[in-house]
């Protein structure tokens, strides 16, 4: 007799929270880019650049955290374009 084990399709609550946080971070990044596009004063432009960098770092962290907790083969949605954030 052959025993087959089936993996239950359970949802990880922390993974769901991370995905929701990533969606929020994407929105915050989009807002930071819009503010940058409208900034005129050099100090505001510099402030927007720092905010964009911070939001990118937040997105990168969340993407890494989601990949660590995700089952194999899980594909993350693309963020803005094909650019790789550093």
């Amino acid at each position: 007799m052959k025993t087959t084990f089936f993996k239950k399709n359970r949802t990880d609550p922390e993974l769901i929270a991370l995905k929701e946080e990533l969606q929020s971070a994407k929105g915050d990044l989009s807002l930071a880019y819009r503010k940058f596009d409208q900034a005129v004063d050099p100090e505001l432009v510099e402030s927007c650049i720092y905010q964009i960098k911070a939001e990118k770092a937040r997105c990168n962290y969340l993407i890494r955290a989601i990949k660590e907790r995700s089952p194999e083969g899980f594909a993350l949605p693309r963020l803005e374009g094909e650019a790789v954030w550093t």
Side-chain angles (χ1 to χ4, degrees), residues 18-36 51-52 54-56 58-59 62 77-80 85:
L18 287 169
K19 289 178 184 179
E20 290 172 356
E21 182 69 20
L22 179 60
Q23 290 298 323
S24 174
K26 285 172 47 179
D28 292 344
L29 180 60
S30 179
L31 178 62
Y33 274 116
R34 284 193 303 257
K35 286 181 181 179
F36 175 79
Q51 187 175 8
I52 289 169
E55 292 302 333
K56 285 181 178 182
R58 182 174 160 212
C59 287
L62 291 167
R78 286 250 184 236
L79 295 179
E80 302 203 3
W85 295 343

